DNA sequence: TATATTCTTGACAAGATTTGTCAAGAATAG
DNA sequence: CTATTCTTGACAAATCTTGTCAAGAATATA
C-alpha cells in the first residue's frame, strides 16, 4: 500500500479545481502556483486524471483544466486510483498465493485493510472534503480568537 | 503512507511466532523456511522488533526468538510501527505547513485517513488475526466441501 | 574445553520507484 | 500571425526498498 505524493498532489489539485468550480478553465501554471506543486509534475498527473475521465481540458489562451463532473460526484478514491498503481495492501495482489503458493497468515488482514481504506476514500467526494476542511478551519479560528480574547 | 514488505514480513513472522507460542525459541532459519521470507532480511527486521520490546531472543543452539508478551497483548500496529517509518499519510508530517507554510486543502483528509488506519491496526492483536484467519479458512473449506458434494 | 549453533551488528549493493524535468508539437483565442 | 496552453514521449537524479554478507559474541552440549 503506497500513497505517494502523486496521489496527494492529484487530490490537492482536484480540490483546488473544485473550489473554483464556476470558473471556466484553470491552467497548470495557476494551480502550480496556488498549491505549491511542481508544474511539469502536475502535467504528468493530469494525463492520468484526464484518461480516467475526471478532468476535461482545453488548449490555447484561456485554456486549462476543469472537473468533468460536479465536485460531489467525484470521489477521492477515484482520483487516487487514477494516479497510484500500488494501493493494494496484499503481498499477493489478491491471488492468495504468497506463501509458497498458498495464502499467507496475514492475507485476510491485508484484504480487510484494503476494504477499510477503499471505503474511506470512496465515501468522500471532493465537495465533502472541501466542506469538512472549511468547518474544521473555522472552528480552529474561533477557538484561537477566544483564547486571544481570554488571555 | 507506505506499507512495504518490511511490515508485511514482520507481521507474518510474528503471526508464526504466535502460532507456536508454547514452544521455546524459534530460529530465523525455521521462520524463513516456513513463511518464505529471506532469512537475512528477516534478521534485519527482527532487530527492530527486539528493540521495540516485542521479541525476546536467545543465542546458541536451541536459541531463536519468541514473543515477549502473550499474542493477545501485541497489536499489529505495534509491529508495523517498529519496522515501517513512513506510515504517516500527511505530506507535512502533521505540521500542517505543506502549502507554502500553511495547511493544504487535503490536510484534514489525510489526518482522518491516518486515524482510520491506525485504529484498524491497533484494534487487532496477533491472536485476533490468527483466530480470524482460521475461521475464514474453515468457512471456505466447508463451502468447498458442500460444493463438491453437490456437484 | 572444543565445537556447532544462533543471534548481533554494521555495512554494503542492486534494483525499483518516485519525483521531477525537458523539448518538440498540436490546438486555439484574439 | 502570435502568444498561450495543453499533449506526448522520453529522460535523469534522488530516494527507498530489498536483500546480502561477514566478523563477532553468546550459549548449549559433548
Ligand atoms: S497477502 Fe495474500 S497470500 Fe499473502
Ligand atoms: S498534508 Fe498537512 S498541510 Fe498538507
Amino acid at each position: 500500500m503506497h500513497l505517494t505524493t502523486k496521489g496527494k498532489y492529484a487530490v490537492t489539485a482536484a480540490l483546488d479545481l473544485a473550489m473554483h468550480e464556476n470558473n471556466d478553465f484553470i491552467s497548470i501554471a495557476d494551480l502550480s502556483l496556488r498549491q505549491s506543486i511542481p508544474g511539469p509534475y502536475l502535467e504528468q498527473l493530469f494525463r492520468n486524471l484526464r484518461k480516467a475521465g475526471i478532468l476535461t481540458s482545453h488548449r490555447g489562451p484561456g485554456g486549462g483544466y476543469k472537473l468533468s463532473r460536479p465536485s460531489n460526484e467525484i470521489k477521492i478514491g477515484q482520483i487516487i486510483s487514477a494516479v497510484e498503481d500500488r494501493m493494494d495492501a496484499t503481498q499477493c495482489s489478491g491471488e492468495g498465493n504468497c506463501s509458497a503458493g498458498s495464502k499467507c497468515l496475514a492475507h485476510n488482514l491485508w484484504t480487510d485493510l484494503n476494504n477499510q481504506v477503499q471505503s474511506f476514500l470512496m465515501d468522500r467526494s471532493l465537495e465533502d472534503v472541501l466542506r469538512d476542511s472549511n468547518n474544521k478551519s473555522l472552528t480552529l479560528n474561533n477557538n484561537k480568537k477566544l483564547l486571544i480574547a481570554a488571555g
mmCIF file with all atom_site columns, all heavy atoms in Angstrom, chain C residues 5-14:
data_model
loop_
_atom_site.group_PDB
_atom_site.id
_atom_site.type_symbol
_atom_site.label_atom_id
_atom_site.label_alt_id
_atom_site.label_comp_id
_atom_site.label_asym_id
_atom_site.label_entity_id
_atom_site.label_seq_id
_atom_site.pdbx_PDB_ins_code
_atom_site.Cartn_x
_atom_site.Cartn_y
_atom_site.Cartn_z
_atom_site.occupancy
_atom_site.B_iso_or_equiv
_atom_site.pdbx_formal_charge
_atom_site.auth_seq_id
_atom_site.auth_comp_id
_atom_site.auth_asym_id
_atom_site.auth_atom_id
_atom_site.pdbx_PDB_model_num
ATOM 1   P P     . DT C 1 5  ? 25.774 -27.336 13.488 1.00 0.00 ? 5  DT C P     1
ATOM 2   O OP1   . DT C 1 5  ? 24.798 -28.361 13.082 1.00 0.00 ? 5  DT C OP1   1
ATOM 3   O OP2   . DT C 1 5  ? 26.611 -26.620 12.499 1.00 0.00 ? 5  DT C OP2   1
ATOM 4   O "O5'" . DT C 1 5  ? 24.990 -26.250 14.346 1.00 0.00 ? 5  DT C "O5'" 1
ATOM 5   C "C5'" . DT C 1 5  ? 24.337 -26.644 15.544 1.00 0.00 ? 5  DT C "C5'" 1
ATOM 6   C "C4'" . DT C 1 5  ? 23.844 -25.425 16.290 1.00 0.00 ? 5  DT C "C4'" 1
ATOM 7   O "O4'" . DT C 1 5  ? 24.972 -24.659 16.776 1.00 0.00 ? 5  DT C "O4'" 1
ATOM 8   C "C3'" . DT C 1 5  ? 23.013 -24.456 15.446 1.00 0.00 ? 5  DT C "C3'" 1
ATOM 9   O "O3'" . DT C 1 5  ? 21.767 -24.287 16.080 1.00 0.00 ? 5  DT C "O3'" 1
ATOM 10  C "C2'" . DT C 1 5  ? 23.829 -23.160 15.428 1.00 0.00 ? 5  DT C "C2'" 1
ATOM 11  C "C1'" . DT C 1 5  ? 24.651 -23.290 16.693 1.00 0.00 ? 5  DT C "C1'" 1
ATOM 12  N N1    . DT C 1 5  ? 25.939 -22.541 16.715 1.00 0.00 ? 5  DT C N1    1
ATOM 13  C C2    . DT C 1 5  ? 26.149 -21.649 17.729 1.00 0.00 ? 5  DT C C2    1
ATOM 14  O O2    . DT C 1 5  ? 25.337 -21.427 18.603 1.00 0.00 ? 5  DT C O2    1
ATOM 15  N N3    . DT C 1 5  ? 27.367 -21.001 17.690 1.00 0.00 ? 5  DT C N3    1
ATOM 16  C C4    . DT C 1 5  ? 28.362 -21.170 16.747 1.00 0.00 ? 5  DT C C4    1
ATOM 17  O O4    . DT C 1 5  ? 29.417 -20.541 16.818 1.00 0.00 ? 5  DT C O4    1
ATOM 18  C C5    . DT C 1 5  ? 28.075 -22.124 15.709 1.00 0.00 ? 5  DT C C5    1
ATOM 19  C C7    . DT C 1 5  ? 29.089 -22.382 14.634 1.00 0.00 ? 5  DT C C7    1
ATOM 20  C C6    . DT C 1 5  ? 26.886 -22.762 15.736 1.00 0.00 ? 5  DT C C6    1
ATOM 21  P P     . DT C 1 6  ? 20.471 -23.841 15.262 1.00 0.00 ? 6  DT C P     1
ATOM 22  O OP1   . DT C 1 6  ? 19.299 -24.485 15.904 1.00 0.00 ? 6  DT C OP1   1
ATOM 23  O OP2   . DT C 1 6  ? 20.742 -24.009 13.820 1.00 0.00 ? 6  DT C OP2   1
ATOM 24  O "O5'" . DT C 1 6  ? 20.409 -22.288 15.543 1.00 0.00 ? 6  DT C "O5'" 1
ATOM 25  C "C5'" . DT C 1 6  ? 20.175 -21.840 16.871 1.00 0.00 ? 6  DT C "C5'" 1
ATOM 26  C "C4'" . DT C 1 6  ? 20.583 -20.400 17.004 1.00 0.00 ? 6  DT C "C4'" 1
ATOM 27  O "O4'" . DT C 1 6  ? 22.024 -20.295 17.010 1.00 0.00 ? 6  DT C "O4'" 1
ATOM 28  C "C3'" . DT C 1 6  ? 20.116 -19.480 15.876 1.00 0.00 ? 6  DT C "C3'" 1
ATOM 29  O "O3'" . DT C 1 6  ? 19.117 -18.619 16.357 1.00 0.00 ? 6  DT C "O3'" 1
ATOM 30  C "C2'" . DT C 1 6  ? 21.360 -18.728 15.459 1.00 0.00 ? 6  DT C "C2'" 1
ATOM 31  C "C1'" . DT C 1 6  ? 22.316 -18.988 16.610 1.00 0.00 ? 6  DT C "C1'" 1
ATOM 32  N N1    . DT C 1 6  ? 23.735 -18.891 16.224 1.00 0.00 ? 6  DT C N1    1
ATOM 33  C C2    . DT C 1 6  ? 24.569 -18.103 16.978 1.00 0.00 ? 6  DT C C2    1
ATOM 34  O O2    . DT C 1 6  ? 24.199 -17.496 17.973 1.00 0.00 ? 6  DT C O2    1
ATOM 35  N N3    . DT C 1 6  ? 25.869 -18.038 16.535 1.00 0.00 ? 6  DT C N3    1
ATOM 36  C C4    . DT C 1 6  ? 26.396 -18.671 15.422 1.00 0.00 ? 6  DT C C4    1
ATOM 37  O O4    . DT C 1 6  ? 27.570 -18.529 15.129 1.00 0.00 ? 6  DT C O4    1
ATOM 38  C C5    . DT C 1 6  ? 25.470 -19.474 14.681 1.00 0.00 ? 6  DT C C5    1
ATOM 39  C C7    . DT C 1 6  ? 25.950 -20.201 13.460 1.00 0.00 ? 6  DT C C7    1
ATOM 40  C C6    . DT C 1 6  ? 24.199 -19.546 15.112 1.00 0.00 ? 6  DT C C6    1
ATOM 41  P P     . DC C 1 7  ? 18.561 -17.422 15.394 1.00 0.00 ? 7  DC C P     1
ATOM 42  O OP1   . DC C 1 7  ? 17.095 -17.483 15.516 1.00 0.00 ? 7  DC C OP1   1
ATOM 43  O OP2   . DC C 1 7  ? 19.204 -17.456 14.068 1.00 0.00 ? 7  DC C OP2   1
ATOM 44  O "O5'" . DC C 1 7  ? 19.074 -16.147 16.190 1.00 0.00 ? 7  DC C "O5'" 1
ATOM 45  C "C5'" . DC C 1 7  ? 18.737 -16.032 17.561 1.00 0.00 ? 7  DC C "C5'" 1
ATOM 46  C "C4'" . DC C 1 7  ? 19.744 -15.131 18.276 1.00 0.00 ? 7  DC C "C4'" 1
ATOM 47  O "O4'" . DC C 1 7  ? 21.079 -15.484 17.860 1.00 0.00 ? 7  DC C "O4'" 1
ATOM 48  C "C3'" . DC C 1 7  ? 19.594 -13.644 17.969 1.00 0.00 ? 7  DC C "C3'" 1
ATOM 49  O "O3'" . DC C 1 7  ? 19.850 -12.896 19.155 1.00 0.00 ? 7  DC C "O3'" 1
ATOM 50  C "C2'" . DC C 1 7  ? 20.650 -13.411 16.911 1.00 0.00 ? 7  DC C "C2'" 1
ATOM 51  C "C1'" . DC C 1 7  ? 21.750 -14.333 17.375 1.00 0.00 ? 7  DC C "C1'" 1
ATOM 52  N N1    . DC C 1 7  ? 22.684 -14.749 16.297 1.00 0.00 ? 7  DC C N1    1
ATOM 53  C C2    . DC C 1 7  ? 24.029 -14.349 16.361 1.00 0.00 ? 7  DC C C2    1
ATOM 54  O O2    . DC C 1 7  ? 24.405 -13.648 17.304 1.00 0.00 ? 7  DC C O2    1
ATOM 55  N N3    . DC C 1 7  ? 24.879 -14.736 15.373 1.00 0.00 ? 7  DC C N3    1
ATOM 56  C C4    . DC C 1 7  ? 24.432 -15.493 14.363 1.00 0.00 ? 7  DC C C4    1
ATOM 57  N N4    . DC C 1 7  ? 25.310 -15.854 13.428 1.00 0.00 ? 7  DC C N4    1
ATOM 58  C C5    . DC C 1 7  ? 23.063 -15.906 14.283 1.00 0.00 ? 7  DC C C5    1
ATOM 59  C C6    . DC C 1 7  ? 22.239 -15.507 15.260 1.00 0.00 ? 7  DC C C6    1
ATOM 60  P P     . DT C 1 8  ? 19.776 -11.295 19.089 1.00 0.00 ? 8  DT C P     1
ATOM 61  O OP1   . DT C 1 8  ? 19.699 -10.816 20.476 1.00 0.00 ? 8  DT C OP1   1
ATOM 62  O OP2   . DT C 1 8  ? 18.745 -10.928 18.104 1.00 0.00 ? 8  DT C OP2   1
ATOM 63  O "O5'" . DT C 1 8  ? 21.191 -10.862 18.505 1.00 0.00 ? 8  DT C "O5'" 1
ATOM 64  C "C5'" . DT C 1 8  ? 22.312 -10.798 19.392 1.00 0.00 ? 8  DT C "C5'" 1
ATOM 65  C "C4'" . DT C 1 8  ? 23.281 -9.744  18.904 1.00 0.00 ? 8  DT C "C4'" 1
ATOM 66  O "O4'" . DT C 1 8  ? 24.051 -10.273 17.798 1.00 0.00 ? 8  DT C "O4'" 1
ATOM 67  C "C3'" . DT C 1 8  ? 22.661 -8.446  18.401 1.00 0.00 ? 8  DT C "C3'" 1
ATOM 68  O "O3'" . DT C 1 8  ? 23.390 -7.383  18.983 1.00 0.00 ? 8  DT C "O3'" 1
ATOM 69  C "C2'" . DT C 1 8  ? 22.835 -8.511  16.881 1.00 0.00 ? 8  DT C "C2'" 1
ATOM 70  C "C1'" . DT C 1 8  ? 24.104 -9.345  16.753 1.00 0.00 ? 8  DT C "C1'" 1
ATOM 71  N N1    . DT C 1 8  ? 24.258 -10.164 15.527 1.00 0.00 ? 8  DT C N1    1
ATOM 72  C C2    . DT C 1 8  ? 25.490 -10.205 14.920 1.00 0.00 ? 8  DT C C2    1
ATOM 73  O O2    . DT C 1 8  ? 26.437 -9.570  15.330 1.00 0.00 ? 8  DT C O2    1
ATOM 74  N N3    . DT C 1 8  ? 25.565 -11.027 13.824 1.00 0.00 ? 8  DT C N3    1
ATOM 75  C C4    . DT C 1 8  ? 24.550 -11.793 13.268 1.00 0.00 ? 8  DT C C4    1
ATOM 76  O O4    . DT C 1 8  ? 24.757 -12.490 12.299 1.00 0.00 ? 8  DT C O4    1
ATOM 77  C C5    . DT C 1 8  ? 23.288 -11.707 13.956 1.00 0.00 ? 8  DT C C5    1
ATOM 78  C C7    . DT C 1 8  ? 22.127 -12.486 13.439 1.00 0.00 ? 8  DT C C7    1
ATOM 79  C C6    . DT C 1 8  ? 23.193 -10.907 15.033 1.00 0.00 ? 8  DT C C6    1
ATOM 80  P P     . DT C 1 9  ? 22.840 -5.886  18.899 1.00 0.00 ? 9  DT C P     1
ATOM 81  O OP1   . DT C 1 9  ? 23.041 -5.266  20.216 1.00 0.00 ? 9  DT C OP1   1
ATOM 82  O OP2   . DT C 1 9  ? 21.522 -5.873  18.235 1.00 0.00 ? 9  DT C OP2   1
ATOM 83  O "O5'" . DT C 1 9  ? 23.880 -5.220  17.888 1.00 0.00 ? 9  DT C "O5'" 1
ATOM 84  C "C5'" . DT C 1 9  ? 25.248 -5.638  17.921 1.00 0.00 ? 9  DT C "C5'" 1
ATOM 85  C "C4'" . DT C 1 9  ? 25.951 -5.170  16.672 1.00 0.00 ? 9  DT C "C4'" 1
ATOM 86  O "O4'" . DT C 1 9  ? 25.930 -6.218  15.673 1.00 0.00 ? 9  DT C "O4'" 1
ATOM 87  C "C3'" . DT C 1 9  ? 25.336 -3.949  16.011 1.00 0.00 ? 9  DT C "C3'" 1
ATOM 88  O "O3'" . DT C 1 9  ? 26.252 -2.879  16.155 1.00 0.00 ? 9  DT C "O3'" 1
ATOM 89  C "C2'" . DT C 1 9  ? 25.108 -4.340  14.554 1.00 0.00 ? 9  DT C "C2'" 1
ATOM 90  C "C1'" . DT C 1 9  ? 25.935 -5.613  14.401 1.00 0.00 ? 9  DT C "C1'" 1
ATOM 91  N N1    . DT C 1 9  ? 25.375 -6.624  13.480 1.00 0.00 ? 9  DT C N1    1
ATOM 92  C C2    . DT C 1 9  ? 26.215 -7.283  12.609 1.00 0.00 ? 9  DT C C2    1
ATOM 93  O O2    . DT C 1 9  ? 27.399 -7.060  12.550 1.00 0.00 ? 9  DT C O2    1
ATOM 94  N N3    . DT C 1 9  ? 25.615 -8.216  11.813 1.00 0.00 ? 9  DT C N3    1
ATOM 95  C C4    . DT C 1 9  ? 24.266 -8.542  11.796 1.00 0.00 ? 9  DT C C4    1
ATOM 96  O O4    . DT C 1 9  ? 23.836 -9.408  11.035 1.00 0.00 ? 9  DT C O4    1
ATOM 97  C C5    . DT C 1 9  ? 23.436 -7.825  12.727 1.00 0.00 ? 9  DT C C5    1
ATOM 98  C C7    . DT C 1 9  ? 21.976 -8.105  12.781 1.00 0.00 ? 9  DT C C7    1
ATOM 99  C C6    . DT C 1 9  ? 24.026 -6.909  13.517 1.00 0.00 ? 9  DT C C6    1
ATOM 100 P P     . DG C 1 10 ? 25.883 -1.391  15.539 1.00 0.00 ? 10 DG C P     1
ATOM 101 O OP1   . DG C 1 10 ? 26.473 -0.404  16.455 1.00 0.00 ? 10 DG C OP1   1
ATOM 102 O OP2   . DG C 1 10 ? 24.452 -1.339  15.187 1.00 0.00 ? 10 DG C OP2   1
ATOM 103 O "O5'" . DG C 1 10 ? 26.723 -1.383  14.192 1.00 0.00 ? 10 DG C "O5'" 1
ATOM 104 C "C5'" . DG C 1 10 ? 28.017 -1.981  14.148 1.00 0.00 ? 10 DG C "C5'" 1
ATOM 105 C "C4'" . DG C 1 10 ? 28.499 -1.976  12.724 1.00 0.00 ? 10 DG C "C4'" 1
ATOM 106 O "O4'" . DG C 1 10 ? 28.003 -3.162  12.052 1.00 0.00 ? 10 DG C "O4'" 1
ATOM 107 C "C3'" . DG C 1 10 ? 28.016 -0.774  11.908 1.00 0.00 ? 10 DG C "C3'" 1
ATOM 108 O "O3'" . DG C 1 10 ? 29.116 -0.139  11.293 1.00 0.00 ? 10 DG C "O3'" 1
ATOM 109 C "C2'" . DG C 1 10 ? 27.030 -1.356  10.921 1.00 0.00 ? 10 DG C "C2'" 1
ATOM 110 C "C1'" . DG C 1 10 ? 27.484 -2.811  10.783 1.00 0.00 ? 10 DG C "C1'" 1
ATOM 111 N N9    . DG C 1 10 ? 26.393 -3.727  10.494 1.00 0.00 ? 10 DG C N9    1
ATOM 112 C C8    . DG C 1 10 ? 25.124 -3.710  11.022 1.00 0.00 ? 10 DG C C8    1
ATOM 113 N N7    . DG C 1 10 ? 24.352 -4.652  10.559 1.00 0.00 ? 10 DG C N7    1
ATOM 114 C C5    . DG C 1 10 ? 25.152 -5.349  9.662  1.00 0.00 ? 10 DG C C5    1
ATOM 115 C C6    . DG C 1 10 ? 24.866 -6.473  8.854  1.00 0.00 ? 10 DG C C6    1
ATOM 116 O O6    . DG C 1 10 ? 23.813 -7.110  8.765  1.00 0.00 ? 10 DG C O6    1
ATOM 117 N N1    . DG C 1 10 ? 25.961 -6.864  8.094  1.00 0.00 ? 10 DG C N1    1
ATOM 118 C C2    . DG C 1 10 ? 27.185 -6.240  8.121  1.00 0.00 ? 10 DG C C2    1
ATOM 119 N N2    . DG C 1 10 ? 28.116 -6.748  7.319  1.00 0.00 ? 10 DG C N2    1
ATOM 120 N N3    . DG C 1 10 ? 27.474 -5.180  8.873  1.00 0.00 ? 10 DG C N3    1
ATOM 121 C C4    . DG C 1 10 ? 26.414 -4.791  9.620  1.00 0.00 ? 10 DG C C4    1
ATOM 122 P P     . DA C 1 11 ? 28.891 1.145   10.319 1.00 0.00 ? 11 DA C P     1
ATOM 123 O OP1   . DA C 1 11 ? 29.997 2.081   10.585 1.00 0.00 ? 11 DA C OP1   1
ATOM 124 O OP2   . DA C 1 11 ? 27.495 1.613   10.421 1.00 0.00 ? 11 DA C OP2   1
ATOM 125 O "O5'" . DA C 1 11 ? 29.096 0.496   8.885  1.00 0.00 ? 11 DA C "O5'" 1
ATOM 126 C "C5'" . DA C 1 11 ? 29.999 -0.610  8.746  1.00 0.00 ? 11 DA C "C5'" 1
ATOM 127 C "C4'" . DA C 1 11 ? 29.785 -1.264  7.406  1.00 0.00 ? 11 DA C "C4'" 1
ATOM 128 O "O4'" . DA C 1 11 ? 28.667 -2.170  7.493  1.00 0.00 ? 11 DA C "O4'" 1
ATOM 129 C "C3'" . DA C 1 11 ? 29.467 -0.274  6.281  1.00 0.00 ? 11 DA C "C3'" 1
ATOM 130 O "O3'" . DA C 1 11 ? 30.443 -0.408  5.275  1.00 0.00 ? 11 DA C "O3'" 1
ATOM 131 C "C2'" . DA C 1 11 ? 28.087 -0.682  5.805  1.00 0.00 ? 11 DA C "C2'" 1
ATOM 132 C "C1'" . DA C 1 11 ? 27.979 -2.134  6.265  1.00 0.00 ? 11 DA C "C1'" 1
ATOM 133 N N9    . DA C 1 11 ? 26.605 -2.588  6.508  1.00 0.00 ? 11 DA C N9    1
ATOM 134 C C8    . DA C 1 11 ? 25.681 -2.027  7.340  1.00 0.00 ? 11 DA C C8    1
ATOM 135 N N7    . DA C 1 11 ? 24.525 -2.645  7.340  1.00 0.00 ? 11 DA C N7    1
ATOM 136 C C5    . DA C 1 11 ? 24.706 -3.692  6.447  1.00 0.00 ? 11 DA C C5    1
ATOM 137 C C6    . DA C 1 11 ? 23.853 -4.717  6.002  1.00 0.00 ? 11 DA C C6    1
ATOM 138 N N6    . DA C 1 11 ? 22.596 -4.868  6.415  1.00 0.00 ? 11 DA C N6    1
ATOM 139 N N1    . DA C 1 11 ? 24.349 -5.596  5.113  1.00 0.00 ? 11 DA C N1    1
ATOM 140 C C2    . DA C 1 11 ? 25.622 -5.450  4.696  1.00 0.00 ? 11 DA C C2    1
ATOM 141 N N3    . DA C 1 11 ? 26.520 -4.528  5.041  1.00 0.00 ? 11 DA C N3    1
ATOM 142 C C4    . DA C 1 11 ? 25.988 -3.667  5.931  1.00 0.00 ? 11 DA C C4    1
ATOM 143 P P     . DC C 1 12 ? 30.463 0.636   4.028  1.00 0.00 ? 12 DC C P     1
ATOM 144 O OP1   . DC C 1 12 ? 31.875 0.918   3.732  1.00 0.00 ? 12 DC C OP1   1
ATOM 145 O OP2   . DC C 1 12 ? 29.505 1.736   4.264  1.00 0.00 ? 12 DC C OP2   1
ATOM 146 O "O5'" . DC C 1 12 ? 29.876 -0.284  2.870  1.00 0.00 ? 12 DC C "O5'" 1
ATOM 147 C "C5'" . DC C 1 12 ? 30.251 -1.662  2.811  1.00 0.00 ? 12 DC C "C5'" 1
ATOM 148 C "C4'" . DC C 1 12 ? 29.329 -2.394  1.859  1.00 0.00 ? 12 DC C "C4'" 1
ATOM 149 O "O4'" . DC C 1 12 ? 28.075 -2.680  2.505  1.00 0.00 ? 12 DC C "O4'" 1
ATOM 150 C "C3'" . DC C 1 12 ? 29.008 -1.586  0.593  1.00 0.00 ? 12 DC C "C3'" 1
ATOM 151 O "O3'" . DC C 1 12 ? 29.412 -2.351  -0.521 1.00 0.00 ? 12 DC C "O3'" 1
ATOM 152 C "C2'" . DC C 1 12 ? 27.493 -1.401  0.663  1.00 0.00 ? 12 DC C "C2'" 1
ATOM 153 C "C1'" . DC C 1 12 ? 27.055 -2.553  1.553  1.00 0.00 ? 12 DC C "C1'" 1
ATOM 154 N N1    . DC C 1 12 ? 25.769 -2.355  2.282  1.00 0.00 ? 12 DC C N1    1
ATOM 155 C C2    . DC C 1 12 ? 24.719 -3.245  2.048  1.00 0.00 ? 12 DC C C2    1
ATOM 156 O O2    . DC C 1 12 ? 24.873 -4.156  1.238  1.00 0.00 ? 12 DC C O2    1
ATOM 157 N N3    . DC C 1 12 ? 23.558 -3.077  2.729  1.00 0.00 ? 12 DC C N3    1
ATOM 158 C C4    . DC C 1 12 ? 23.422 -2.081  3.602  1.00 0.00 ? 12 DC C C4    1
ATOM 159 N N4    . DC C 1 12 ? 22.269 -1.964  4.240  1.00 0.00 ? 12 DC C N4    1
ATOM 160 C C5    . DC C 1 12 ? 24.491 -1.157  3.858  1.00 0.00 ? 12 DC C C5    1
ATOM 161 C C6    . DC C 1 12 ? 25.636 -1.333  3.177  1.00 0.00 ? 12 DC C C6    1
ATOM 162 P P     . DA C 1 13 ? 29.525 -1.594  -1.946 1.00 0.00 ? 13 DA C P     1
ATOM 163 O OP1   . DA C 1 13 ? 30.779 -2.078  -2.575 1.00 0.00 ? 13 DA C OP1   1
ATOM 164 O OP2   . DA C 1 13 ? 29.238 -0.153  -1.827 1.00 0.00 ? 13 DA C OP2   1
ATOM 165 O "O5'" . DA C 1 13 ? 28.324 -2.268  -2.736 1.00 0.00 ? 13 DA C "O5'" 1
ATOM 166 C "C5'" . DA C 1 13 ? 28.206 -3.689  -2.772 1.00 0.00 ? 13 DA C "C5'" 1
ATOM 167 C "C4'" . DA C 1 13 ? 26.927 -4.043  -3.491 1.00 0.00 ? 13 DA C "C4'" 1
ATOM 168 O "O4'" . DA C 1 13 ? 25.809 -3.876  -2.587 1.00 0.00 ? 13 DA C "O4'" 1
ATOM 169 C "C3'" . DA C 1 13 ? 26.640 -3.144  -4.687 1.00 0.00 ? 13 DA C "C3'" 1
ATOM 170 O "O3'" . DA C 1 13 ? 26.020 -3.936  -5.665 1.00 0.00 ? 13 DA C "O3'" 1
ATOM 171 C "C2'" . DA C 1 13 ? 25.664 -2.129  -4.120 1.00 0.00 ? 13 DA C "C2'" 1
ATOM 172 C "C1'" . DA C 1 13 ? 24.858 -3.023  -3.193 1.00 0.00 ? 13 DA C "C1'" 1
ATOM 173 N N9    . DA C 1 13 ? 24.137 -2.349  -2.128 1.00 0.00 ? 13 DA C N9    1
ATOM 174 C C8    . DA C 1 13 ? 24.538 -1.293  -1.356 1.00 0.00 ? 13 DA C C8    1
ATOM 175 N N7    . DA C 1 13 ? 23.650 -0.921  -0.462 1.00 0.00 ? 13 DA C N7    1
ATOM 176 C C5    . DA C 1 13 ? 22.593 -1.797  -0.669 1.00 0.00 ? 13 DA C C5    1
ATOM 177 C C6    . DA C 1 13 ? 21.334 -1.933  -0.055 1.00 0.00 ? 13 DA C C6    1
ATOM 178 N N6    . DA C 1 13 ? 20.930 -1.150  0.944  1.00 0.00 ? 13 DA C N6    1
ATOM 179 N N1    . DA C 1 13 ? 20.515 -2.903  -0.495 1.00 0.00 ? 13 DA C N1    1
ATOM 180 C C2    . DA C 1 13 ? 20.929 -3.687  -1.507 1.00 0.00 ? 13 DA C C2    1
ATOM 181 N N3    . DA C 1 13 ? 22.089 -3.662  -2.163 1.00 0.00 ? 13 DA C N3    1
ATOM 182 C C4    . DA C 1 13 ? 22.875 -2.685  -1.690 1.00 0.00 ? 13 DA C C4    1
ATOM 183 P P     . DA C 1 14 ? 26.245 -3.599  -7.197 1.00 0.00 ? 14 DA C P     1
ATOM 184 O OP1   . DA C 1 14 ? 27.399 -4.380  -7.659 1.00 0.00 ? 14 DA C OP1   1
ATOM 185 O OP2   . DA C 1 14 ? 26.181 -2.138  -7.418 1.00 0.00 ? 14 DA C OP2   1
ATOM 186 O "O5'" . DA C 1 14 ? 24.930 -4.272  -7.793 1.00 0.00 ? 14 DA C "O5'" 1
ATOM 187 C "C5'" . DA C 1 14 ? 24.500 -5.540  -7.287 1.00 0.00 ? 14 DA C "C5'" 1
ATOM 188 C "C4'" . DA C 1 14 ? 22.996 -5.627  -7.380 1.00 0.00 ? 14 DA C "C4'" 1
ATOM 189 O "O4'" . DA C 1 14 ? 22.399 -4.879  -6.297 1.00 0.00 ? 14 DA C "O4'" 1
ATOM 190 C "C3'" . DA C 1 14 ? 22.438 -5.064  -8.676 1.00 0.00 ? 14 DA C "C3'" 1
ATOM 191 O "O3'" . DA C 1 14 ? 21.491 -5.984  -9.187 1.00 0.00 ? 14 DA C "O3'" 1
ATOM 192 C "C2'" . DA C 1 14 ? 21.817 -3.735  -8.262 1.00 0.00 ? 14 DA C "C2'" 1
ATOM 193 C "C1'" . DA C 1 14 ? 21.434 -3.982  -6.807 1.00 0.00 ? 14 DA C "C1'" 1
ATOM 194 N N9    . DA C 1 14 ? 21.451 -2.806  -5.937 1.00 0.00 ? 14 DA C N9    1
ATOM 195 C C8    . DA C 1 14 ? 22.445 -1.872  -5.816 1.00 0.00 ? 14 DA C C8    1
ATOM 196 N N7    . DA C 1 14 ? 22.192 -0.940  -4.926 1.00 0.00 ? 14 DA C N7    1
ATOM 197 C C5    . DA C 1 14 ? 20.946 -1.289  -4.419 1.00 0.00 ? 14 DA C C5    1
ATOM 198 C C6    . DA C 1 14 ? 20.125 -0.705  -3.438 1.00 0.00 ? 14 DA C C6    1
ATOM 199 N N6    . DA C 1 14 ? 20.443 0.397   -2.762 1.00 0.00 ? 14 DA C N6    1
ATOM 200 N N1    . DA C 1 14 ? 18.948 -1.300  -3.178 1.00 0.00 ? 14 DA C N1    1
ATOM 201 C C2    . DA C 1 14 ? 18.627 -2.411  -3.855 1.00 0.00 ? 14 DA C C2    1
ATOM 202 N N3    . DA C 1 14 ? 19.315 -3.057  -4.799 1.00 0.00 ? 14 DA C N3    1
ATOM 203 C C4    . DA C 1 14 ? 20.484 -2.440  -5.035 1.00 0.00 ? 14 DA C C4    1
#
